[in-house]
């Protein structure tokens, strides 16, 4: 299975938390890491966070300090812990695994919906 599978999306009140998961065999060993993106209705897809093979993490400014990306090598899982959620975080969240020569091999999951209501 090359395509990652996301889970954990839900409807939550503003200020609440969710943990998204992204899994696929070998995903934590992908040479170019795993990336989370989100797309709100009527808007372009935007970068959220990423984690490298070595465990280095990065975040969009809009989620920095609220979201934490991590990985569990034993379970082949990538997590996105989302705290202090805001209505503007409402979107379809998708993970992308990147690997191969020049990181040219990319695989997207189907996505998981996060809805934050005030």
């Amino acid at each position: 299975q090359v395509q990652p599978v996301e889970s954990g999306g839900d409807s939550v009140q503003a200020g609440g938390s969710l943990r998204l998961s992204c899994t696929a065999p070998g995903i934590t060993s992908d040479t170019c890491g795993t990336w989370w993106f989100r797309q709100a209705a009527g808007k372009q897809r935007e970068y959220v966070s990423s984690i490298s093979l070595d465990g280095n993490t990065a975040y969009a400014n809009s989620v920095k300090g609220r979201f934490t990306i991590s990985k569990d090598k034993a379970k082949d899982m990538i997590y996105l812990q989302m705290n202090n959620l805001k209505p503007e975080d409402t979107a379809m969240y998708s993970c992308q695994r990147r690997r191969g020569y020049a990181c040219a091999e990319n695989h997207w999951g189907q996505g998981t919906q996060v809805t934050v209501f005030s």
Side-chain angles (χ1 to χ4, degrees):
Q1 176 187 343
V2 176
Q3 183 180 18
V5 177
E6 304 94 334
S7 62
D10 204 345
S11 294
V12 63
Q13 193 167 20
S17 298
L18 286 174
R19 189 178 76 164
L20 304 185
S21 300
C22 173
T23 187
I27 192 171
T28 59
S29 300
D30 284 344
T31 52
C32 303
T34 305
W35 300 65
W36 281 99
F37 291 83
R38 68 186 182 186
Q39 187 168 19
K43 295 187 177 180
Q44 289 189 333
R45 179 183 289 162
E46 65 174 0
Y47 166 78
V48 176
S49 180
S50 54
I51 187 165
S52 72
L53 176 62
D54 295 335
N56 294 317
T57 60
Y59 302 91
N61 287 335
S62 59
V63 307
K64 199 171 293 183
R66 300 188 297 121
F67 291 11
T68 302
I69 191 170
S70 62
K71 59 181 172 181
D72 185 329
K73 293 181 180 180
K75 296 181 179 179
D76 270 340
M77 295 286 278
I78 305 292
Y79 300 108
L80 185 67
Q81 177 67 43
M82 308 187 296
N83 298 328
N84 190 22
L85 284 160
K86 304 176 180 181
E88 52 263 41
D89 294 318
T90 295
M92 179 69 75
Y93 285 71
S94 301
C95 68
Q96 181 196 54
R97 59 184 310 188
R98 297 184 180 182
R99 61 187 190 181
Y101 180 75
C103 302
E105 184 182 341
N106 300 329
H107 302 278
W108 288 93
Q110 295 287 341
T112 186
Q113 177 67 36
V114 172
T115 303
V116 185
F117 56 92
S118 55

